[in-house]
């Protein structure tokens, strides 16, 4: 049998029906996934716009009156505006931790990808192993260590662990190996540039899409972290918004009205949405941005 004897089903009705069926199944799965992930956010949005005290009554999936500004005002007045202090703490912890973590990941990944030294593969294997270990397992050892050196109730107890990202190092290493040509590095060395200048002016711009991805992962991971800040920060003026909202919710509506927890939950996700929308355009940036012509 020759290639000419094999029937071409790509132009037949059966082939088109198969293609349309596969597309329909794919779109259906994507639609179900989208609804599943957006459902809690939609419920929060509807609940926050309701007049205060009616968050858990009526139709939870559609609007019933409008009390958004009153709700935000009540949130601000509760405990002398401690919620906004929590938000500021979270932004600082996430911003500083994500920036420092992204820079360290980029440097470590670039080093593993572009330099030859003894033990490089073993070091990268250790990084891969660290990716598989849940961070929650380090919480108690970190607490004991910080307690021993007097860092309890200190922002450094949250910042120091957050700047270490094995997954960020792994992603930076893979991306540096693929997107930063050795010829560009050699050209910089021939021009007399130092190794750090080559990394800063050549490699970093070429790795920008990966760096943005690492930053977003770090930002979200630090923002959602609860257990470590809850253990090392007993002062509510230093706590991030996740720990503060859980504390409010633990009062069961006695010290803090339950609707305020719902309102604060929606407000607390706004920075994550803003960060994603503001940085997503960099994902489409050229893979060789900053390279020599």
């Amino acid at each position: 049998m020759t290639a000419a004897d094999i029937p071409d089903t790509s132009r037949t009705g059966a082939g088109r029906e198969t293609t349309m069926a596969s597309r329909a199944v794919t779109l259906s799965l994507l639609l179900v996934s989208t609804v599943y992930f957006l459902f809690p956010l939609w419920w929060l949005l509807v609940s926050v716009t309701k007049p205060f005290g009616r968050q858990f009554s009526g139709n939870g999936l559609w609007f019933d009156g409008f009390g958004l500004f009153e709700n935000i005002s009540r949130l601000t007045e509760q405990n002398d505006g401690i919620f906004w202090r929590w938000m500021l703490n979270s932004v600082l912890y996430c911003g500083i931790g994500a920036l420092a973590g992204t820079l360290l990941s980029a440097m470590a990944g670039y080093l593993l990808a572009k330099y030859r030294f003894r033990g490089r593969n073993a070091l990268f294997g250790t990084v891969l192993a660290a990716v598989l270990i849940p961070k929650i397992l380090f919480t108690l050892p970190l607490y004991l260590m910080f307690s021993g050196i007097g860092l309890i109730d200190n922002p450094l107890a949250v910042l120091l662990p957050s700047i270490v990202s094995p997954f960020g190092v792994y992603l930076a290493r893979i991306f540096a190996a693929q997107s930063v040509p050795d010829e560009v590095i050699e050209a910089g060395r021939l021009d007399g540039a130092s190794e750090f200048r080559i990394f800063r002016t050549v490699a970093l711009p070429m790795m920008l899409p990966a760096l943005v991805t690492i930053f977003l992962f770090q930002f979200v991971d630090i923002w959602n972290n609860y257990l470590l800040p809850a253990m090392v920060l007993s002062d509510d003026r230093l706590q991030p918004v996740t720990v503060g909202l859980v504390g409010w919710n633990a009062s069961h509506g006695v010290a803090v009205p339950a609707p305020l927890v719902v309102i604060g939950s929606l407000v607390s996700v706004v920075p994550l949405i803003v960060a994603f929308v503001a940085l997503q355009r960099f994902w489409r940036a050229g893979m060789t941005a900053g390279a020599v012509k």
Side-chain angles (χ1 to χ4, degrees), residues 1 13 23 45 59 102 121 134 155 160 181 203 215 226 243 248 263:
M1 178 180 294
R23 290 180 179 177
L45 180 62
N59 186 356
T102 301
N121 292 333
L160 291 178
F215 177 85
Y226 165 76
V243 178
W248 276 5
I263 300 167

Side-chain angles (χ1 to χ4, degrees), residues 205-225:
M206 299 174 73
M207 297 171 61
L208 184 60
L211 299 184
V212 172
T213 303
I214 295 171
F215 177 85
L216 285 176
F217 271 106
Q218 281 287 91
F219 193 93
V220 174
D221 184 61
I222 300 171
W223 190 277
N224 292 332
N225 190 15

Side-chain angles (χ1 to χ4, degrees), residues 15-29:
R16 287 194 296 269
E17 291 177 1
T18 302
T19 302
M20 292 180 63
S22 62
R23 290 180 179 177
V25 171
T26 302
L27 291 176
S28 299
L29 291 176

Side-chain angles (χ1 to χ4, degrees), residues 229-247:
M231 293 186 66
V232 301
L233 298 176
S234 59
D235 186 355
D236 59 353
R237 304 288 297 179
L238 297 176
Q239 293 173 349
V241 68
T242 51
V243 178
L245 287 176
V246 171

